[in-house]
Amino acid sequence: MFILVTIIISLAILAAIYQYSQRQQAIMQRQYDVLVQLRELLHLTHQHRRITHLSLLHAEDHTSEIERLQQEISVHSNHLISTVHLDNKPMYRIFQTKLAEVMSNWPNYSLSRNQIIHGKTLRHGMFLIDEVVLG
């Protein structure tokens, strides 16, 4: 009888440890997905800054390339919002708003203002990456 109770308790403990590890693995996978998406958004934003800089500097027409990048940024931003935990969504919505502002207002900016606004947005994205890594 004592052996049976010990085995049942041991199996219950093993099941609890297994459930905990599965939950932790799911949390880690979500954090990894958020990091990958943030990294991709930063890369796309950097490309947007580069192309808009060239467009403003040389008055060249890169409209199709800029529109493609803006579309990708919007898709990745929406996917990021759907991936993050409910508690963190406001931070990512602010980031999404900043991205939308940059994408819509860049033709009105001077060359230096364009660099400054893109830089602030990129730093905000890096801050979010830092929050995910530390949190």
Side-chain angles (χ1 to χ4, degrees), residues 5-19:
V5 170
T6 306
I7 290 174
I8 291 173
I9 291 173
S10 297
L11 289 176
I13 290 172
L14 285 175
I17 290 172
Y18 179 74
Q19 289 293 333

Side-chain angles (χ1 to χ4, degrees), residues 42-98:
L42 289 180
H43 177 69
L44 291 170
T45 305
H46 187 268
Q47 286 180 342
H48 187 268
R49 177 175 69 175
R50 183 176 46 93
I51 293 171
T52 56
H53 181 81
L54 287 174
S55 184
L56 291 171
L57 182 64
H58 300 297
E60 297 174 356
D61 186 28
H62 295 281
T63 307
S64 63
E65 202 171 349
I66 291 171
E67 287 177 358
R68 180 190 59 80
L69 276 173
Q70 289 177 348
Q71 177 93 16
E72 284 185 48
I73 288 171
S74 294
V75 167
H76 283 298
S77 179
N78 289 333
H79 189 264
L80 177 65
I81 296 277
S82 68
T83 304
V84 297
H85 191 267
L86 186 63
D87 296 339
N88 298 330
K89 284 189 191 253
M91 289 191 312
Y92 292 93
R93 285 206 174 103
I94 292 170
F95 183 56
Q96 185 180 35
T97 303
K98 283 186 177 187

